[in-house]
mmCIF file of all heavy atoms in Angstrom:
data_model
loop_
_atom_site.group_PDB
_atom_site.id
_atom_site.type_symbol
_atom_site.label_atom_id
_atom_site.label_comp_id
_atom_site.label_asym_id
_atom_site.label_seq_id
_atom_site.Cartn_x
_atom_site.Cartn_y
_atom_site.Cartn_z
ATOM 1 N N GLU M 244 170.089 -10.630 11.874
ATOM 2 C CA GLU M 244 170.162 -11.963 11.300
ATOM 3 C C GLU M 244 170.950 -12.937 12.172
ATOM 4 O O GLU M 244 171.202 -14.068 11.751
ATOM 5 C CB GLU M 244 170.809 -11.898 9.913
ATOM 6 C CG GLU M 244 169.970 -11.169 8.880
ATOM 7 C CD GLU M 244 170.669 -11.083 7.538
ATOM 8 O OE1 GLU M 244 171.913 -11.235 7.523
ATOM 9 O OE2 GLU M 244 169.987 -10.870 6.520
ATOM 10 N N SER M 245 171.318 -12.547 13.368
ATOM 11 C CA SER M 245 172.157 -13.377 14.218
ATOM 12 C C SER M 245 171.312 -14.254 15.135
ATOM 13 O O SER M 245 170.101 -14.059 15.301
ATOM 14 C CB SER M 245 173.093 -12.492 15.052
ATOM 15 O OG SER M 245 172.334 -11.688 15.942
ATOM 16 N N ARG M 246 171.968 -15.231 15.739
ATOM 17 C CA ARG M 246 171.300 -16.107 16.699
ATOM 18 C C ARG M 246 170.942 -15.356 17.974
ATOM 19 O O ARG M 246 169.984 -15.722 18.666
ATOM 20 C CB ARG M 246 172.211 -17.285 17.036
ATOM 21 C CG ARG M 246 172.414 -18.230 15.864
ATOM 22 C CD ARG M 246 173.435 -19.305 16.205
ATOM 23 N NE ARG M 246 173.587 -20.263 15.122
ATOM 24 C CZ ARG M 246 174.320 -20.068 14.051
ATOM 25 N NH1 ARG M 246 174.992 -18.920 13.911
ATOM 26 N NH2 ARG M 246 174.407 -20.980 13.104
ATOM 27 N N GLU M 247 171.700 -14.309 18.297
ATOM 28 C CA GLU M 247 171.395 -13.523 19.497
ATOM 29 C C GLU M 247 170.008 -12.898 19.407
ATOM 30 O O GLU M 247 169.213 -12.977 20.346
ATOM 31 C CB GLU M 247 172.463 -12.441 19.672
ATOM 32 C CG GLU M 247 172.239 -11.558 20.889
ATOM 33 C CD GLU M 247 173.268 -10.457 20.985
ATOM 34 O OE1 GLU M 247 174.187 -10.432 20.130
ATOM 35 O OE2 GLU M 247 173.154 -9.618 21.900
ATOM 36 N N ALA M 248 169.707 -12.270 18.259
ATOM 37 C CA ALA M 248 168.374 -11.673 18.096
ATOM 38 C C ALA M 248 167.299 -12.749 18.080
ATOM 39 O O ALA M 248 166.197 -12.560 18.620
ATOM 40 C CB ALA M 248 168.340 -10.864 16.796
ATOM 41 N N MET M 249 167.596 -13.919 17.470
ATOM 42 C CA MET M 249 166.611 -14.994 17.426
ATOM 43 C C MET M 249 166.307 -15.528 18.822
ATOM 44 O O MET M 249 165.139 -15.738 19.187
ATOM 45 C CB MET M 249 167.131 -16.103 16.518
ATOM 46 C CG MET M 249 166.179 -17.271 16.312
ATOM 47 S SD MET M 249 166.493 -18.636 17.426
ATOM 48 C CE MET M 249 168.138 -19.117 16.955
ATOM 49 N N LEU M 250 167.339 -15.751 19.638
ATOM 50 C CA LEU M 250 167.119 -16.244 20.997
ATOM 51 C C LEU M 250 166.370 -15.230 21.846
ATOM 52 O O LEU M 250 165.506 -15.598 22.659
ATOM 53 C CB LEU M 250 168.468 -16.585 21.638
ATOM 54 C CG LEU M 250 169.226 -17.767 21.009
ATOM 55 C CD1 LEU M 250 170.593 -17.914 21.650
ATOM 56 C CD2 LEU M 250 168.416 -19.045 21.139
ATOM 57 N N ARG M 251 166.666 -13.951 21.684
ATOM 58 C CA ARG M 251 165.941 -12.933 22.442
ATOM 59 C C ARG M 251 164.477 -12.870 22.007
ATOM 60 O O ARG M 251 163.576 -12.717 22.840
ATOM 61 C CB ARG M 251 166.612 -11.581 22.235
ATOM 62 C CG ARG M 251 166.005 -10.482 23.080
ATOM 63 C CD ARG M 251 166.794 -9.202 22.951
ATOM 64 N NE ARG M 251 166.185 -8.116 23.708
ATOM 65 C CZ ARG M 251 166.634 -6.874 23.725
ATOM 66 N NH1 ARG M 251 167.723 -6.567 23.027
ATOM 67 N NH2 ARG M 251 166.029 -5.941 24.447
ATOM 68 N N LEU M 252 164.230 -13.007 20.695
ATOM 69 C CA LEU M 252 162.849 -13.014 20.214
ATOM 70 C C LEU M 252 162.101 -14.233 20.723
ATOM 71 O O LEU M 252 160.920 -14.147 21.091
ATOM 72 C CB LEU M 252 162.853 -12.993 18.684
ATOM 73 C CG LEU M 252 161.494 -12.870 17.985
ATOM 74 C CD1 LEU M 252 160.867 -11.517 18.295
ATOM 75 C CD2 LEU M 252 161.643 -13.041 16.474
ATOM 76 N N ASP M 253 162.774 -15.375 20.782
ATOM 77 C CA ASP M 253 162.132 -16.575 21.312
ATOM 78 C C ASP M 253 161.851 -16.435 22.798
ATOM 79 O O ASP M 253 160.819 -16.894 23.296
ATOM 80 C CB ASP M 253 163.039 -17.781 21.041
ATOM 81 C CG ASP M 253 162.451 -19.065 21.572
ATOM 82 O OD1 ASP M 253 161.259 -19.338 21.305
ATOM 83 O OD2 ASP M 253 163.160 -19.808 22.284
ATOM 84 N N GLU M 254 162.762 -15.782 23.516
ATOM 85 C CA GLU M 254 162.563 -15.609 24.955
ATOM 86 C C GLU M 254 161.415 -14.648 25.264
ATOM 87 O O GLU M 254 160.659 -14.872 26.215
ATOM 88 C CB GLU M 254 163.861 -15.088 25.576
ATOM 89 C CG GLU M 254 163.788 -14.878 27.083
ATOM 90 C CD GLU M 254 165.090 -14.348 27.645
ATOM 91 O OE1 GLU M 254 166.063 -14.229 26.868
ATOM 92 O OE2 GLU M 254 165.129 -14.048 28.851
ATOM 93 N N GLU M 255 161.253 -13.627 24.461
ATOM 94 C CA GLU M 255 160.223 -12.626 24.758
ATOM 95 C C GLU M 255 158.878 -12.947 24.118
ATOM 96 O O GLU M 255 157.830 -12.713 24.736
ATOM 97 C CB GLU M 255 160.709 -11.251 24.291
ATOM 98 C CG GLU M 255 161.931 -10.746 25.046
ATOM 99 C CD GLU M 255 162.356 -9.375 24.587
ATOM 100 O OE1 GLU M 255 161.684 -8.816 23.681
ATOM 101 O OE2 GLU M 255 163.368 -8.852 25.108
ATOM 102 N N LEU M 256 158.878 -13.460 22.857
ATOM 103 C CA LEU M 256 157.617 -13.664 22.129
ATOM 104 C C LEU M 256 157.370 -15.116 21.747
ATOM 105 O O LEU M 256 156.421 -15.385 20.989
ATOM 106 C CB LEU M 256 157.601 -12.791 20.862
ATOM 107 C CG LEU M 256 157.680 -11.286 21.085
ATOM 108 C CD1 LEU M 256 157.694 -10.552 19.753
ATOM 109 C CD2 LEU M 256 156.508 -10.802 21.924
ATOM 110 N N ASP M 257 158.169 -16.059 22.253
ATOM 111 C CA ASP M 257 157.969 -17.495 22.015
ATOM 112 C C ASP M 257 157.958 -17.793 20.510
ATOM 113 O O ASP M 257 156.968 -18.278 19.951
ATOM 114 C CB ASP M 257 156.665 -17.968 22.668
ATOM 115 C CG ASP M 257 156.590 -19.496 22.707
ATOM 116 O OD1 ASP M 257 157.632 -20.141 22.494
ATOM 117 O OD2 ASP M 257 155.477 -20.026 22.920
ATOM 118 N N PHE M 258 159.088 -17.509 19.873
ATOM 119 C CA PHE M 258 159.199 -17.798 18.450
ATOM 120 C C PHE M 258 159.104 -19.292 18.167
ATOM 121 O O PHE M 258 158.470 -19.720 17.193
ATOM 122 C CB PHE M 258 160.539 -17.248 17.948
ATOM 123 C CG PHE M 258 160.806 -17.500 16.497
ATOM 124 C CD1 PHE M 258 160.272 -16.677 15.517
ATOM 125 C CD2 PHE M 258 161.594 -18.579 16.092
ATOM 126 C CE1 PHE M 258 160.518 -16.914 14.171
ATOM 127 C CE2 PHE M 258 161.842 -18.826 14.758
ATOM 128 C CZ PHE M 258 161.302 -17.987 13.805
ATOM 129 N N ARG M 259 159.701 -20.117 19.015
ATOM 130 C CA ARG M 259 159.657 -21.566 18.814
ATOM 131 C C ARG M 259 158.230 -22.094 18.896
ATOM 132 O O ARG M 259 157.801 -22.910 18.070
ATOM 133 C CB ARG M 259 160.532 -22.254 19.855
ATOM 134 C CG ARG M 259 160.594 -23.767 19.721
ATOM 135 C CD ARG M 259 161.150 -24.390 20.988
ATOM 136 N NE ARG M 259 162.506 -23.973 21.238
ATOM 137 C CZ ARG M 259 163.579 -24.635 20.821
ATOM 138 N NH1 ARG M 259 163.430 -25.749 20.119
ATOM 139 N NH2 ARG M 259 164.783 -24.194 21.109
ATOM 140 N N GLY M 260 157.479 -21.618 19.872
ATOM 141 C CA GLY M 260 156.112 -22.085 20.022
ATOM 142 C C GLY M 260 155.221 -21.706 18.851
ATOM 143 O O GLY M 260 154.318 -22.456 18.471
ATOM 144 N N HIS M 261 155.470 -20.530 18.267
ATOM 145 C CA HIS M 261 154.647 -20.099 17.134
ATOM 146 C C HIS M 261 154.867 -21.004 15.926
ATOM 147 O O HIS M 261 153.900 -21.412 15.257
ATOM 148 C CB HIS M 261 154.983 -18.651 16.789
ATOM 149 C CG HIS M 261 154.219 -18.133 15.605
ATOM 150 N ND1 HIS M 261 152.918 -17.700 15.683
ATOM 151 C CD2 HIS M 261 154.590 -17.981 14.296
ATOM 152 C CE1 HIS M 261 152.507 -17.314 14.483
ATOM 153 N NE2 HIS M 261 153.502 -17.473 13.625
ATOM 154 N N PHE M 262 156.117 -21.341 15.622
ATOM 155 C CA PHE M 262 156.403 -22.131 14.425
ATOM 156 C C PHE M 262 156.323 -23.638 14.679
ATOM 157 O O PHE M 262 156.504 -24.407 13.736
ATOM 158 C CB PHE M 262 157.785 -21.779 13.876
ATOM 159 C CG PHE M 262 157.787 -20.537 13.044
ATOM 160 C CD1 PHE M 262 158.000 -19.301 13.623
ATOM 161 C CD2 PHE M 262 157.562 -20.590 11.686
ATOM 162 C CE1 PHE M 262 157.999 -18.146 12.868
ATOM 163 C CE2 PHE M 262 157.563 -19.447 10.912
ATOM 164 C CZ PHE M 262 157.768 -18.206 11.508
ATOM 165 N N SER M 263 156.089 -24.064 15.910
ATOM 166 C CA SER M 263 155.876 -25.482 16.188
ATOM 167 C C SER M 263 154.418 -25.807 16.454
ATOM 168 O O SER M 263 154.103 -26.935 16.851
ATOM 169 C CB SER M 263 156.724 -25.911 17.390
ATOM 170 O OG SER M 263 156.355 -25.173 18.547
ATOM 171 N N SER M 264 153.528 -24.857 16.231
ATOM 172 C CA SER M 264 152.101 -25.098 16.453
ATOM 173 C C SER M 264 151.537 -25.978 15.339
ATOM 174 O O SER M 264 152.140 -26.159 14.277
ATOM 175 C CB SER M 264 151.346 -23.772 16.519
ATOM 176 O OG SER M 264 151.451 -23.078 15.292
ATOM 177 N N ASP M 265 150.340 -26.509 15.575
ATOM 178 C CA ASP M 265 149.694 -27.385 14.589
ATOM 179 C C ASP M 265 149.212 -26.621 13.362
ATOM 180 O O ASP M 265 148.884 -27.250 12.344
ATOM 181 C CB ASP M 265 148.506 -28.109 15.239
ATOM 182 C CG ASP M 265 148.966 -29.033 16.360
ATOM 183 O OD1 ASP M 265 150.129 -29.457 16.322
ATOM 184 O OD2 ASP M 265 148.159 -29.305 17.283
ATOM 185 N N ALA M 266 149.167 -25.303 13.437
ATOM 186 C CA ALA M 266 148.703 -24.524 12.288
ATOM 187 C C ALA M 266 149.723 -24.498 11.160
ATOM 188 O O ALA M 266 149.369 -24.208 10.016
ATOM 189 C CB ALA M 266 148.385 -23.090 12.712
ATOM 190 N N MET M 267 150.977 -24.817 11.452
ATOM 191 C CA MET M 267 152.014 -24.804 10.426
ATOM 192 C C MET M 267 151.989 -26.115 9.644
ATOM 193 O O MET M 267 151.660 -27.177 10.195
ATOM 194 C CB MET M 267 153.393 -24.606 11.058
ATOM 195 C CG MET M 267 153.528 -23.332 11.871
ATOM 196 S SD MET M 267 153.308 -21.839 10.889
ATOM 197 C CE MET M 267 154.704 -21.960 9.799
ATOM 198 N N ASP M 268 152.312 -26.038 8.363
ATOM 199 C CA ASP M 268 152.349 -27.235 7.532
ATOM 200 C C ASP M 268 153.587 -28.054 7.896
ATOM 201 O O ASP M 268 154.515 -27.564 8.534
ATOM 202 C CB ASP M 268 152.377 -26.849 6.048
ATOM 203 C CG ASP M 268 153.571 -25.988 5.711
ATOM 204 O OD1 ASP M 268 154.647 -26.537 5.449
ATOM 205 O OD2 ASP M 268 153.422 -24.743 5.732
ATOM 206 N N PRO M 269 153.611 -29.341 7.499
ATOM 207 C CA PRO M 269 154.719 -30.211 7.934
ATOM 208 C C PRO M 269 156.098 -29.732 7.496
ATOM 209 O O PRO M 269 157.078 -29.964 8.203
ATOM 210 C CB PRO M 269 154.373 -31.564 7.286
ATOM 211 C CG PRO M 269 152.896 -31.525 7.093
ATOM 212 C CD PRO M 269 152.561 -30.090 6.796
ATOM 213 N N LEU M 270 156.205 -29.086 6.348
ATOM 214 C CA LEU M 270 157.529 -28.662 5.888
ATOM 215 C C LEU M 270 158.049 -27.449 6.654
ATOM 216 O O LEU M 270 159.266 -27.275 6.783
ATOM 217 C CB LEU M 270 157.494 -28.353 4.394
ATOM 218 C CG LEU M 270 157.241 -29.545 3.464
ATOM 219 C CD1 LEU M 270 157.292 -29.101 2.023
ATOM 220 C CD2 LEU M 270 158.249 -30.657 3.716
ATOM 221 N N ASN M 271 157.169 -26.588 7.135
ATOM 222 C CA ASN M 271 157.584 -25.384 7.866
ATOM 223 C C ASN M 271 157.463 -25.532 9.375
ATOM 224 O O ASN M 271 157.866 -24.636 10.107
ATOM 225 C CB ASN M 271 156.743 -24.184 7.430
ATOM 226 C CG ASN M 271 157.044 -23.759 6.007
ATOM 227 O OD1 ASN M 271 158.185 -23.836 5.565
ATOM 228 N ND2 ASN M 271 156.023 -23.318 5.286
ATOM 229 N N ARG M 272 156.911 -26.635 9.841
ATOM 230 C CA ARG M 272 156.686 -26.798 11.278
ATOM 231 C C ARG M 272 157.975 -27.205 11.973
ATOM 232 O O ARG M 272 158.743 -28.049 11.491
ATOM 233 C CB ARG M 272 155.609 -27.847 11.505
ATOM 234 C CG ARG M 272 155.206 -28.018 12.975
ATOM 235 C CD ARG M 272 154.247 -29.173 13.110
ATOM 236 N NE ARG M 272 153.117 -28.999 12.204
ATOM 237 C CZ ARG M 272 152.351 -29.997 11.799
ATOM 238 N NH1 ARG M 272 152.612 -31.241 12.181
ATOM 239 N NH2 ARG M 272 151.342 -29.764 10.983
ATOM 240 N N LEU M 273 158.198 -26.614 13.152
ATOM 241 C CA LEU M 273 159.334 -26.964 13.992
ATOM 242 C C LEU M 273 158.918 -28.026 15.001
ATOM 243 O O LEU M 273 157.802 -27.996 15.526
ATOM 244 C CB LEU M 273 159.855 -25.742 14.742
ATOM 245 C CG LEU M 273 160.815 -24.806 14.011
ATOM 246 C CD1 LEU M 273 161.130 -23.611 14.891
ATOM 247 C CD2 LEU M 273 162.098 -25.528 13.649
ATOM 248 N N ALA M 274 159.828 -28.935 15.263
ATOM 249 C CA ALA M 274 159.563 -29.915 16.305
ATOM 250 C C ALA M 274 159.649 -29.244 17.670
ATOM 251 O O ALA M 274 160.420 -28.294 17.860
ATOM 252 C CB ALA M 274 160.565 -31.063 16.209
ATOM 253 N N PRO M 275 158.837 -29.704 18.629
ATOM 254 C CA PRO M 275 158.901 -29.070 19.974
ATOM 255 C C PRO M 275 160.292 -29.138 20.587
ATOM 256 O O PRO M 275 160.682 -28.247 21.339
ATOM 257 C CB PRO M 275 157.874 -29.875 20.777
ATOM 258 C CG PRO M 275 156.935 -30.441 19.756
ATOM 259 C CD PRO M 275 157.779 -30.729 18.556
ATOM 260 N N ASP M 276 161.040 -30.195 20.301
ATOM 261 C CA ASP M 276 162.391 -30.337 20.844
ATOM 262 C C ASP M 276 163.454 -30.014 19.795
ATOM 263 O O ASP M 276 164.553 -30.583 19.809
ATOM 264 C CB ASP M 276 162.598 -31.755 21.361
ATOM 265 C CG ASP M 276 162.333 -32.801 20.283
ATOM 266 O OD1 ASP M 276 161.744 -32.439 19.242
ATOM 267 O OD2 ASP M 276 162.720 -33.977 20.491
ATOM 268 N N ALA M 277 163.128 -29.119 18.856
ATOM 269 C CA ALA M 277 164.073 -28.770 17.796
ATOM 270 C C ALA M 277 165.304 -28.095 18.377
ATOM 271 O O ALA M 277 165.234 -27.374 19.380
ATOM 272 C CB ALA M 277 163.402 -27.862 16.768
ATOM 273 N N SER M 278 166.429 -28.318 17.744
ATOM 274 C CA SER M 278 167.676 -27.702 18.190
ATOM 275 C C SER M 278 167.707 -26.224 17.830
ATOM 276 O O SER M 278 166.856 -25.714 17.092
ATOM 277 C CB SER M 278 168.868 -28.431 17.557
ATOM 278 O OG SER M 278 168.826 -28.300 16.147
ATOM 279 N N VAL M 279 168.710 -25.553 18.352
ATOM 280 C CA VAL M 279 168.847 -24.122 18.078
ATOM 281 C C VAL M 279 169.142 -23.882 16.602
ATOM 282 O O VAL M 279 168.652 -22.915 16.000
ATOM 283 C CB VAL M 279 169.953 -23.524 18.968
ATOM 284 C CG1 VAL M 279 170.182 -22.049 18.626
ATOM 285 C CG2 VAL M 279 169.592 -23.659 20.434
ATOM 286 N N GLU M 280 169.917 -24.786 15.993
ATOM 287 C CA GLU M 280 170.239 -24.623 14.577
ATOM 288 C C GLU M 280 168.995 -24.780 13.711
ATOM 289 O O GLU M 280 168.796 -24.034 12.745
ATOM 290 C CB GLU M 280 171.307 -25.633 14.160
ATOM 291 C CG GLU M 280 172.680 -25.371 14.763
ATOM 292 C CD GLU M 280 173.226 -24.020 14.348
ATOM 293 O OE1 GLU M 280 172.976 -23.605 13.206
ATOM 294 O OE2 GLU M 280 173.911 -23.376 15.164
ATOM 295 N N GLN M 281 168.147 -25.745 14.033
ATOM 296 C CA GLN M 281 166.906 -25.908 13.281
ATOM 297 C C GLN M 281 165.996 -24.695 13.448
ATOM 298 O O GLN M 281 165.375 -24.221 12.490
ATOM 299 C CB GLN M 281 166.185 -27.181 13.734
ATOM 300 C CG GLN M 281 166.940 -28.453 13.399
ATOM 301 C CD GLN M 281 166.269 -29.688 13.962
ATOM 302 O OE1 GLN M 281 165.357 -29.597 14.804
ATOM 303 N NE2 GLN M 281 166.714 -30.860 13.520
ATOM 304 N N MET M 282 165.921 -24.178 14.665
ATOM 305 C CA MET M 282 165.117 -22.988 14.890
ATOM 306 C C MET M 282 165.726 -21.780 14.185
ATOM 307 O O MET M 282 165.008 -20.912 13.667
ATOM 308 C CB MET M 282 164.995 -22.712 16.391
ATOM 309 C CG MET M 282 164.073 -21.543 16.742
ATOM 310 S SD MET M 282 163.742 -21.420 18.498
ATOM 311 C CE MET M 282 165.381 -21.114 19.143
ATOM 312 N N TYR M 283 167.046 -21.738 14.110
ATOM 313 C CA TYR M 283 167.702 -20.629 13.416
ATOM 314 C C TYR M 283 167.429 -20.678 11.918
ATOM 315 O O TYR M 283 167.253 -19.644 11.276
ATOM 316 C CB TYR M 283 169.202 -20.678 13.692
ATOM 317 C CG TYR M 283 169.987 -19.558 13.063
ATOM 318 C CD1 TYR M 283 169.763 -18.238 13.412
ATOM 319 C CD2 TYR M 283 170.959 -19.830 12.101
ATOM 320 C CE1 TYR M 283 170.485 -17.208 12.834
ATOM 321 C CE2 TYR M 283 171.680 -18.804 11.524
ATOM 322 C CZ TYR M 283 171.449 -17.503 11.895
ATOM 323 O OH TYR M 283 172.159 -16.490 11.310
ATOM 324 N N ASP M 284 167.390 -21.890 11.340
ATOM 325 C CA ASP M 284 167.038 -22.018 9.918
ATOM 326 C C ASP M 284 165.620 -21.513 9.673
ATOM 327 O O ASP M 284 165.360 -20.814 8.677
ATOM 328 C CB ASP M 284 167.167 -23.476 9.485
ATOM 329 C CG ASP M 284 168.616 -23.950 9.507
ATOM 330 O OD1 ASP M 284 169.506 -23.085 9.439
ATOM 331 O OD2 ASP M 284 168.838 -25.172 9.594
ATOM 332 N N ALA M 285 164.688 -21.874 10.550
ATOM 333 C CA ALA M 285 163.319 -21.371 10.401
ATOM 334 C C ALA M 285 163.271 -19.851 10.574
ATOM 335 O O ALA M 285 162.499 -19.158 9.897
ATOM 336 C CB ALA M 285 162.410 -22.044 11.429
ATOM 337 N N TYR M 286 164.110 -19.322 11.462
ATOM 338 C CA TYR M 286 164.158 -17.868 11.678
ATOM 339 C C TYR M 286 164.645 -17.150 10.420
ATOM 340 O O TYR M 286 164.086 -16.111 10.026
ATOM 341 C CB TYR M 286 165.066 -17.579 12.868
ATOM 342 C CG TYR M 286 165.317 -16.108 13.116
ATOM 343 C CD1 TYR M 286 164.346 -15.294 13.693
ATOM 344 C CD2 TYR M 286 166.536 -15.528 12.775
ATOM 345 C CE1 TYR M 286 164.582 -13.959 13.922
ATOM 346 C CE2 TYR M 286 166.786 -14.191 12.998
ATOM 347 C CZ TYR M 286 165.799 -13.402 13.576
ATOM 348 O OH TYR M 286 166.032 -12.071 13.794
ATOM 349 N N LEU M 287 165.682 -17.703 9.776
ATOM 350 C CA LEU M 287 166.178 -17.079 8.545
ATOM 351 C C LEU M 287 165.161 -17.177 7.417
ATOM 352 O O LEU M 287 165.084 -16.274 6.570
ATOM 353 C CB LEU M 287 167.487 -17.744 8.130
ATOM 354 C CG LEU M 287 168.694 -17.508 9.051
ATOM 355 C CD1 LEU M 287 169.920 -18.213 8.507
ATOM 356 C CD2 LEU M 287 168.974 -16.022 9.226
ATOM 357 N N ARG M 288 164.380 -18.261 7.369
ATOM 358 C CA ARG M 288 163.338 -18.365 6.338
ATOM 359 C C ARG M 288 162.221 -17.363 6.554
ATOM 360 O O ARG M 288 161.606 -16.882 5.594
ATOM 361 C CB ARG M 288 162.757 -19.783 6.317
ATOM 362 C CG ARG M 288 163.700 -20.833 5.765
ATOM 363 C CD ARG M 288 162.951 -22.112 5.425
ATOM 364 N NE ARG M 288 162.268 -22.665 6.577
ATOM 365 C CZ ARG M 288 162.787 -23.562 7.400
ATOM 366 N NH1 ARG M 288 164.013 -24.011 7.201
ATOM 367 N NH2 ARG M 288 162.090 -24.037 8.414
ATOM 368 N N SER M 289 161.947 -17.032 7.802
ATOM 369 C CA SER M 289 160.850 -16.100 8.090
ATOM 370 C C SER M 289 161.297 -14.643 8.082
ATOM 371 O O SER M 289 160.449 -13.751 8.143
ATOM 372 C CB SER M 289 160.243 -16.428 9.457
ATOM 373 O OG SER M 289 161.204 -16.246 10.487
#
């Protein structure tokens, strides 16, 4: 549940790109330039 695991997952499997794609609805979609905290909130929700 830490940011370390989230950053490693983003580095290896592009977690940010998956949740910022157009297939996600506006409430769950991440902005391409989202901060680490915003991406971490999406990581905890998923």
Side-chain angles (χ1 to χ4, degrees):
E244 293 178 340
S245 64
R246 292 174 177 81
E247 180 183 357
M249 183 265 298
L250 294 175
R251 185 174 177 183
L252 185 65
D253 179 49
E254 181 181 356
E255 295 182 1
L256 298 178
D257 193 15
F258 179 82
R259 182 196 297 268
H261 178 80
F262 279 90
S263 61
S264 62
D265 296 335
M267 302 298 295
D268 59 85
L270 293 182
N271 291 324
R272 185 186 306 159
L273 277 176
D276 56 346
S278 63
V279 176
E280 291 299 325
Q281 294 175 347
M282 185 171 63
Y283 182 63
D284 293 338
Y286 174 75
L287 292 181
R288 289 195 302 268
S289 63

